[in-house]
């Protein structure tokens, strides 16, 4: 009896702590939380409820006595003006391997005078329909986006940094001799470009953050004889996407070899004899990077790993709400809070290489949803929508919807992994992937025979990229769907019948999400984040334990 009272006190203390934090739960919710107190009685861990195995997610929601159910929300829902950003997508849909829905519509109209040909094609049940599923928006849009990003903030100053989680374990030499147009000036040019909230080239921006963090690392030395690692601050990925020639060529061929040779390699006074200790930055998918940088002995890259001595890092989200302090400030109640949607997935389907790209799984998934999915899964609605070219929803739409969803599919794109995968994790949404067999009895989340996950995701268990005790157990939170897109629905429905399993995965997200952040500004060098994990990998490499040591 005494133990039960103590546990209830801890539970109440956790609720009060949550209410005083920046959690979306308000004071009016204190009463409804008391309905959960009975589940704490037999918990082995103080403060963590012991839910029965047969508790479904909808029954869990019923414990929140003042939360409207889906039927009530549907009855009270009004048409949101945000729906204008999600039209049907005939223009982008492949009606056949040879033509889009739009092209077919023009053909029918010009040759047969078919009235409303686009609508007729989208409603054709005998073919792959090109019409989006219904979308219900149950929240009131306040019209406010997260305006600033970390590149707007004052640049980190070296003299202001006196601590780092890896301080004392690694000494780095940071080159300041690169030709300005390939070094310092290029970094500042790209920092300015990334500070524009309308900038669309965000997949490569991590190199600017990583350069800033190496430049200000308190374990930096100006004496090359003391250095463990020599950092080459050439932001190759950002240079590629900046298209200085005004054109884009595959494998970043628009950046000439002689430009990199004269502006970067010829300025590295300590390279000869230390080649394998020179760290280059190549945070762009390998197919888009220039072979000159891709083939360097040691580099930081976005997965998949091209060489054994590649250090894989996550994509960067530059919004303040994705900084380590913000992600770490969320308590257990934030990660396990009730959600409105069972699933949210906004994605692009139009691609000139669709037939040869794993993106075709997205098309198959949309067909499966349109043909075989009911209005709800596990008692909750879903938000699945193909993005149409020319329509750019405000960023707050994605942020709100993903944060208010339990599951977020990250189906295959052109390369593994995707920026979306890391974004949804930090928004508390459980990623859903397709799982395929690949070489060596391993698993790929990209395509059959594709790159194993151990070669594709940063610091994943089994990658030998950091000490095994510090690897990330992705499988503790990622939902793997085998057998194709038709198995997404039964997999999610089974999980919706097991609230305990959903909660376990959400708490695993809470544990690992901070490792996918890049601390900038006031957050720089304070937390265990992506940069500190990079330093861990470098130490592992120097100790001869890294896969490519």
């Amino acid at each position: 009896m005494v133990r039960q009272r103590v546990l209830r006190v801890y539970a109440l203390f956790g609720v009060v702590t949550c209410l005083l934090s920046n959690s979306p739960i308000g004071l009016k919710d204190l009463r409804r939380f008391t309905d959960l107190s009975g589940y704490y009685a037999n918990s082995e861990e103080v403060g963590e409820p012991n839910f029965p195995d047969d508790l479904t997610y909808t029954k869990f929601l019923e414990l929140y006595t003042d939360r409207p159910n889906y039927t009530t929300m549907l009855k009270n829902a009004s048409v949101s003006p945000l729906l204008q950003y999600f039209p049907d997508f005939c223009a982008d849909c492949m009606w056949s391997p040879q033509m889009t829905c739009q092209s077919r519509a023009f053909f029918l109209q010009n040759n047969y005078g078919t009235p409303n040909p686009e609508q007729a094609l989208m409603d054709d049940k005998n073919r792959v329909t090109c019409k989006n599923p219904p979308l219900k928006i149950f929240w009131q849009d306040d019209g406010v986006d997260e305006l600033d990003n970390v590149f707007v903030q004052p640049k980190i100053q070296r003299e202001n940094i006196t601590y780092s989680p890896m301080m004392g374990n690694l000494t780095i030499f940071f080159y300041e001799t690169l030709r300005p147009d390939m070094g310092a000036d290029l970094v500042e040019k790209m920092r300015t470009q990334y500070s524009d909230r309308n900038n669309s080239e965000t997949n490569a921006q991590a190199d600017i953050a990583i350069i800033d963090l190496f430049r200000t690392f308190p374990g930096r030395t100006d004496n090359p004889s003391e250095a463990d690692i020599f950092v080459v601050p050439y932001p190759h990925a950002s240079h590629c996407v900046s298209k200085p020639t005004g054109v884009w060529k595959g494998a970043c061929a628009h950046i000439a070899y002689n430009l990199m040779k004269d502006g970067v390699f010829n300025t590295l006074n300590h390279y000869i004899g230390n080649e394998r200790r020179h760290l280059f930055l190549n945070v762009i998918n390998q197919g888009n990077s220039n072979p000159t940088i891709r083939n360097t002995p040691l580099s930081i890259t976005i997965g998949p790993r091209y060489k054994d001595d590649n250090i894989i890092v996550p994509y960067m989200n530059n919004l303040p709400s994705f900084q380590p302090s913000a992600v770490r400030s969320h308590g257990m109640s934030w990660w396990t809070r009730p959600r409105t949607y069972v699933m949210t997935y906004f994605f692009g389907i139009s691609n000139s290489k669709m037939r040869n790209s794993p993106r075709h799984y997205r098309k198959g998934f949309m067909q499966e949803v349109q043909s075989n999915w009911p209005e709800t899964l596990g008692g909750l609605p879903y938000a699945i929508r193909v993005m149409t070219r020319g329509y750019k929803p405000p960023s707050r739409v994605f942020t709100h919807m993903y944060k208010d969803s339990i599951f977020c599919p990250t189906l295959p794109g052109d390369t593994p992994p995707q920026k979306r995968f890391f974004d949804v994790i930090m928004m508390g949404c459980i990623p859903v992937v397709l799982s395929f067999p690949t070489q060596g009895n391993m698993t790929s989340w990209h395509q059959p025979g594709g790159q194993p996950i151990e070669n594709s995701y940063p610091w994943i268990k089994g990658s030998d990229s950091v000490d095994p005790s510090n690897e990330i157990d992705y499988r503790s939170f990622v939902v793997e769907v085998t057998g194709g897109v038709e198995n997404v629905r039964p997999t999610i429905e089974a999980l919706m019948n097991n609230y305990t399993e959903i909660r376990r995965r959400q708490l695993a997200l809470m544990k690992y999400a901070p490792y996918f952040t890049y601390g900038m500004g006031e957050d720089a060098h304070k937390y265990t984040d992506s940069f500190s994990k990079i330093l861990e990998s470098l130490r592992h490499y120097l100790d001869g334990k890294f896969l490519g040591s």
Side-chain angles (χ1 to χ4, degrees), residues 78-107:
S78 58
V79 177
S80 171
L82 293 173
L83 290 174
Q84 66 181 304
Y85 295 105
F86 300 96
D88 291 321
F89 57 106
C90 183
D92 294 337
C93 181
M94 296 304 296
W95 185 82
S96 73
Q98 289 75 36
M99 66 176 67
T100 65
C101 170
Q102 184 76 77
S103 301
R104 178 65 178 173
F106 286 150
F107 175 83

Side-chain angles (χ1 to χ4, degrees), residues 5-16:
R5 289 174 181 171
V6 170
L7 288 171
R8 285 193 170 93
V9 168
Y10 271 106
L12 182 58
F13 175 78
V15 171
V16 173

Side-chain angles (χ1 to χ4, degrees), residues 276-503:
R276 291 183 61 81
R277 291 195 292 138
H278 274 65
L279 179 67
F280 291 81
L281 306 183
N282 187 27
V283 291
I284 192 170
N285 65 70
Q286 299 289 1
N288 287 331
S289 64
N290 192 294
T292 304
I293 301 297
R294 191 189 312 161
N295 291 314
T296 53
L298 177 64
S299 64
I300 291 174
T301 188
I302 296 294
R305 181 184 281 153
Y306 179 71
K307 301 171 67 176
D308 283 347
D309 43 14
N310 288 152
I311 297 174
I312 301 175
V313 298
Y315 288 94
M316 177 188 182
N317 191 304
N318 63 22
L319 293 177
S321 59
F322 290 81
Q323 283 291 280
S325 59
V327 174
R328 287 177 176 273
S329 70
H330 302 317
M332 183 185 297
S333 59
W334 187 90
W335 293 94
T336 60
R337 68 197 183 281
R339 314 297 169 93
T340 300
Y341 299 93
V342 62
M343 176 182 293
T344 291
Y345 188 30
F346 300 132
F347 60 103
I349 203 170
S350 177
N351 188 293
S352 60
K353 300 178 181 179
M354 178 69 74
R355 282 168 287 174
N356 301 317
S357 166
R359 278 175 175 251
H360 70 81
Y361 288 105
R362 301 180 184 183
K363 180 179 177 181
F365 175 70
M366 178 56 77
Q367 182 180 3
E368 174 68 20
V369 171
Q370 292 160 329
S371 304
N372 298 317
W373 282 32
E375 184 178 327
T376 63
L377 288 186
L380 294 183
Y382 50 84
I384 298 174
R385 206 76 173 175
V386 168
M387 307 301 298
T388 305
R389 285 178 296 181
Y391 293 83
K392 185 180 180 181
S395 61
R396 63 184 181 276
V397 175
F398 302 107
T399 301
H400 186 100
M401 299 291 282
Y402 286 134
K403 283 184 176 180
D404 202 20
S405 299
I406 306 169
F407 302 103
C408 290
T410 58
L411 302 190
D414 296 325
T415 61
Q418 303 167 58
K419 182 175 181 294
R420 176 204 313 272
F421 179 87
F422 303 104
D423 286 348
V424 300
I425 288 173
M426 290 183 284
M427 287 188 273
C429 194
I430 300 169
V432 179
V433 302
L434 298 182
S435 179
F436 307 98
T438 191
Q439 66 264 27
N441 200 29
M442 302 178 83
T443 297
S444 172
W445 292 342
H446 189 224
Q447 59 183 329
Q451 284 283 349
I453 58 176
E454 290 80 4
N455 285 345
S456 303
Y457 290 83
W459 311 296
I460 188 171
K461 193 173 182 179
S463 64
D464 291 325
S465 54
V466 290
D467 186 277
S469 63
N470 293 328
E471 290 177 333
I472 297 174
D473 184 3
Y474 283 74
R475 284 183 156 134
S476 67
F477 56 84
V478 173
V479 174
E480 298 180 86
V481 177
T482 59
V485 294
E486 62 271 19
N487 285 335
V488 173
R489 173 186 167 185
T491 300
I492 298 304
E493 287 178 329
L495 283 168
M496 289 296 286
N497 285 323
N498 188 345
Y499 171 72
T500 302
E501 177 61 18
I502 291 175
R503 183 182 179 88

Side-chain angles (χ1 to χ4, degrees), residues 41-219:
N42 298 313
S43 174
E44 295 179 1
E45 182 179 352
V46 172
E48 172 62 2
N50 186 17
F51 293 103
D53 292 338
D54 61 350
L55 182 65
T56 68
Y57 197 87
T58 51
K59 287 187 179 296
F60 161 71
L61 292 180
E62 291 173 3
L63 298 173
Y64 291 79
T65 54
D66 61 351
R67 181 181 176 86
N69 59 31
Y70 173 59
T71 303
T72 303
M73 288 192 297
L74 190 63
K75 183 172 65 175
N76 296 333
S78 58
V79 177
S80 171
L82 293 173
L83 290 174
Q84 66 181 304
Y85 295 105
F86 300 96
D88 291 321
F89 57 106
C90 183
D92 294 337
C93 181
M94 296 304 296
W95 185 82
S96 73
Q98 289 75 36
M99 66 176 67
T100 65
C101 170
Q102 184 76 77
S103 301
R104 178 65 178 173
F106 286 150
F107 175 83
L108 292 176
Q109 189 170 45
N110 294 335
N111 290 274
Y112 301 102
T114 305
N116 268 340
E118 289 185 20
Q119 191 63 46
L121 289 172
M122 288 190 286
D123 291 341
D124 186 349
K125 302 300 182 183
N126 297 318
R127 293 186 178 272
V128 177
T129 178
C130 295
K131 189 173 183 178
N132 266 314
L135 175 62
K136 304 291 192 305
I137 295 179
F138 298 109
W139 54 284
Q140 186 65 41
D141 179 30
D142 59 9
V144 178
D145 281 312
E146 197 168 357
L147 295 178
D148 291 335
N149 65 55
V150 295
F151 293 111
V152 177
Q153 300 173 359
K155 188 168 70 171
I156 311 168
Q157 299 301 318
R158 182 183 180 188
E159 58 270 18
N160 295 335
I161 304 296
T162 58
Y163 169 78
S164 168
M166 283 293 290
M167 191 173 175
N169 292 325
L170 193 71
T171 302
I172 67 110
F173 179 86
F174 184 90
Y175 277 102
E176 293 186 334
T177 55
L178 273 63
R179 203 172 66 197
D181 63 318
M182 303 293 283
D185 288 357
L186 177 59
V187 169
E188 293 311 308
K189 171 189 172 184
M190 296 311 299
R191 186 195 311 279
T192 300
Q193 179 173 322
Y194 292 142
S195 67
D196 181 358
R197 63 185 301 270
N198 292 316
N199 171 63
S200 59
E201 297 290 353
T202 58
N203 282 0
Q205 62 190 343
D207 56 11
I208 304 302
I210 293 170
I211 287 171
D212 270 357
L213 292 165
F214 272 122
R215 177 178 54 80
T216 58
F217 177 53

